[in-house]
Amino acid sequence: MSALPTIDPATGGKLVSNIMHFARALRLAGLPVGPGKLLEAVRAVEVVGPRRRDDFYWALHAVLVERHEQHEIFEQAFRLFWRDPRLLQGAAPLVRSGTERRRPKQLDQVRQRVLDALMAGAKDEELEQPEPEVELDRALSYSPEEVFRHKDFESMSAAELAAARQAIARMRLPIVRLPTRRFVADPQGQRVDMRATLRAGLRTSGLIMPLRRKRRTTRPPPLVILCDVSGSMSRYSRLFVHFVHAVTSDRERVSTFLFGTQLSNVTRHLRHKDVDIALDRIGAAVEDWSGGTRIGVCLKEFNLHWSRRVLGQGALVLLITDGLDRDDVGVLAIEIERLHKSCRRLIWLNPLLRYEGFRAEAAGVKAILPHVDDFRPVHNLDSLADLTEALSRASDRAGGTLRSRAA
Amino acid sequence: MPDVCANPASVDATLRLLQDGDYVAGRGLATMVFLSLRLSRPILLEGDAGVGKTEIANVLARVLGRRLVRLQCYEGLDAAAAVYEWNYAAQMIEVRLAQARGDIDRESLAKDVFSERFLIKRPLLHALEPGLAGAPVLLIDEVDRADAPFEAYLLELLSDYQITVPEIGTVVAREPPIVVVTSNRTREIHDALKRRCFYHWIGYPSAQRERAILRTKMPEIEKRLGDEIVAFIQELRQTDLSKRPGIGQTLAWASALVELDRVELDPETVSATLSVLLTGRGDAARAGRGVVGDIVAKVKAGTTQATP
């Protein structure tokens, strides 16, 4: 193939095949490395020259890494793979890596992914697979202080799914569609579309210039869902997760976070069309199902690390929680205020209010209430239909009266 | 100022070139710039505000002697503002003139009215024209502020260095421009765009590099003050802030301190000038007097992580 470069004739073939193996390992670890990228990586290495290790590293990095989060995976894979080119034939480096000093949990998870990917590569080659080391490493990725439970969702029947979809389709969030600066042709439009007018006019050589009109298009703002899955909410978590999955696949620009004692971004997992697979992935990824609640801390983390990335372009935030915070309420008050100030609209859905005589007595509830634009209490929340109905309800007295009661 | 420069021949040459332009780059960034110049691929830079993403395009234009074409993205940026627009007024006059001449052949009139004469070129189309010194440097700044449809529009330009104007045809760059795309990550850039670029994340610099940057940009500053400034800022970035100060702010603060004739840091001056570094009430409150005093004390004692 002419596109393939000619690296040093003596060893070039080997290097190319090594880069290929490396790319395959990265792909298994979750980086989107296609054949095009592979060719490009080989070219980049050829241009930079394989003399310096760091140049080699950065050349591959420039081509194969597409986002900041992938840097860590690349880094680990690079170190594991190029430390010993015969990695795929022997497990020695893996043994060492398993006994290295304790790293932060997240890094461990990354490493686990990379190791698994490299091991999968090894399996492909039908080589021996050293299992104990992998287990050793995995054991380190759990933190002893918190009891993590993995969630199993009952699967939904086809009929339930269909009903859920209908309910979501009926749902009308109290969202004002935002005007964009894009236009579509519309005979009743406010503006004259000069380009279309001229084209129409030229048909009669400019004798008649029929005005063509256009109007602004609108679209819903981005939606950010922050959903509490702690113990006090565990009754509902299946329902909510089905809900967020349905919303995520129904609209564009939805980001979803689950929180209990820690915040997890599950948007990526929810992208999977099949609800059961999506839920399985979430069940595995989120580690604090039905644990305690630290709303303030989780919101703080959201504000620090995510708000700039997902709250752009006038996002609407849907906060689903009962507002029962076990932690310091001071933090919660500060962070909810900040969240409110950085989004277009904050809607709070509270499922705990099962009776009319609700009073905002819990300190957490009191802290949140002054900062929400729209308060949606839900009594008897049993189905998605109830949930969507609560969200679709016009922004009416419910919010106002409750807020005044709280005051 | 150098005139026309050839593209650098190696990573080391690229590093030197950037250094000539007063840009202190890491080897990773230099490697990527080198690759991008050699393989004619756009550069996509992400990172927090004020870490020198935009600056790299300015520096490249300067040291390579190229023209800089800058497109600042904003929400609602569309093809008419970024690529081209027709001069409707002139077109109307042309149509009327043709009528007056009695020259109303439909085909030729259409061809005439939608010709390059009536095309108003915007930055992206300008970037495809060769300059005297070679292809220009095209800076597409803060692409995350534009919306997804615009990003999709960029794909043709970034992969093939061409733009299609339906009425005229395809405009192809004779020599591909050097494209630098920056993003602040206020939203995720689409993978299709990322795939066409070399990606690099610019983080906050290490203490060593930050000192080098300060020396390069402000050679007049006292070494002691410079070292203390860098140590302080490195330590400040470790604290729990919602918006950590970037290099731009380091330099602004340094010039503020020089302007105040300070030769070393003291808690009072730092507190008084902290607003240069911290741009939020919450952050300013968090880094109150106590915190500032602690960091200054640490800097003096030489126990910060940044101290050589």
Side-chain angles (χ1 to χ4, degrees), chain A residues 239-260:
Chain A
L239 182 67
F240 285 140
V241 174
H242 276 288
F243 168 75
V244 292
H245 178 263
V247 173
T248 309
S249 49
D250 180 53
R251 314 166 163 251
E252 288 173 54
R253 304 198 289 169
V254 180
S255 317
T256 310
F257 297 81
L258 302 184
F259 66 90

Side-chain angles (χ1 to χ4, degrees), chain A residues 223-227 255-259 262-265 267 294-312 315-319 335-336 338-340 342-343 346:
Chain A
L223 180 65
V224 176
I225 304 175
L226 292 166
C227 183
S255 317
T256 310
F257 297 81
L258 302 184
F259 66 90
Q262 57 194 39
L263 185 78
S264 331
N265 184 352
T267 314
R294 288 157 71 207
I295 309 178
V297 176
C298 291
L299 286 185
K300 181 169 184 179
E301 191 180 336
F302 177 83
N303 284 335
L304 261 183
H305 298 296
W306 292 102
S307 70
R308 271 196 211 92
R309 292 175 59 183
V310 298
L311 289 185
L316 180 105
V317 176
L318 177 61
L319 176 67
E335 297 303 328
I336 192 83
R338 194 156 147 220
L339 176 65
H340 182 214
S342 39
C343 66
L346 178 59

Side-chain angles (χ1 to χ4, degrees), chain B residues 97-128:
Chain B
L97 281 177
Q99 279 173 6
R101 284 198 304 270
D103 170 18
I104 48 170
D105 175 43
R106 226 164 52 173
E107 288 292 311
S108 70
L109 186 59
K111 214 175 207 165
D112 199 32
V113 164
F114 285 108
S115 68
E116 214 168 328
R117 222 156 32 104
F118 298 101
L119 198 65
I120 303 172
K121 294 182 178 178
R122 303 289 191 204
L124 293 187
L125 208 51
H126 273 303
L128 296 186

Side-chain angles (χ1 to χ4, degrees), chain A residues 260-405:
Chain A
T261 50
Q262 57 194 39
L263 185 78
S264 331
N265 184 352
V266 294
T267 314
R268 195 161 48 91
H269 306 293
L270 284 170
R271 289 269 157 73
H272 208 284
K273 276 282 175 219
D274 187 307
V275 65
D276 290 323
I277 297 178
L279 295 196
D280 275 351
R281 290 190 182 168
I282 294 180
V286 178
E287 289 175 324
D288 51 348
W289 292 102
S290 312
T293 327
R294 288 157 71 207
I295 309 178
V297 176
C298 291
L299 286 185
K300 181 169 184 179
E301 191 180 336
F302 177 83
N303 284 335
L304 261 183
H305 298 296
W306 292 102
S307 70
R308 271 196 211 92
R309 292 175 59 183
V310 298
L311 289 185
Q313 313 194 329
L316 180 105
V317 176
L318 177 61
L319 176 67
I320 306 178
T321 176
D322 51 15
L324 300 180
D325 196 350
R326 312 275 183 277
D327 251 11
D328 178 18
V329 180
V331 181
L332 175 61
I334 294 171
E335 297 303 328
I336 192 83
E337 179 181 1
R338 194 156 147 220
L339 176 65
H340 182 214
K341 282 177 176 168
S342 39
C343 66
R344 173 173 285 266
R345 215 172 151 71
L346 178 59
I347 303 176
W348 180 19
L349 183 97
N350 188 339
L352 194 74
L353 308 163
R354 261 162 300 172
Y355 47 94
E356 293 290 343
F358 171 82
R359 296 246 186 285
E361 265 155 15
V365 178
K366 275 188 190 157
I368 299 177
L369 261 183
H371 298 291
V372 293
D373 295 308
D374 204 341
F375 182 65
R376 301 283 162 142
V378 188
H379 314 269
N380 297 322
L381 184 59
D382 286 322
S383 68
L384 272 180
D386 291 344
L387 183 59
T388 53
E389 195 258 332
L391 286 171
S392 309
R393 210 183 303 144
S395 175
D396 56 16
R397 286 171 301 125
T401 47
L402 259 160
R403 210 179 292 185
S404 57
R405 261 185 236 166

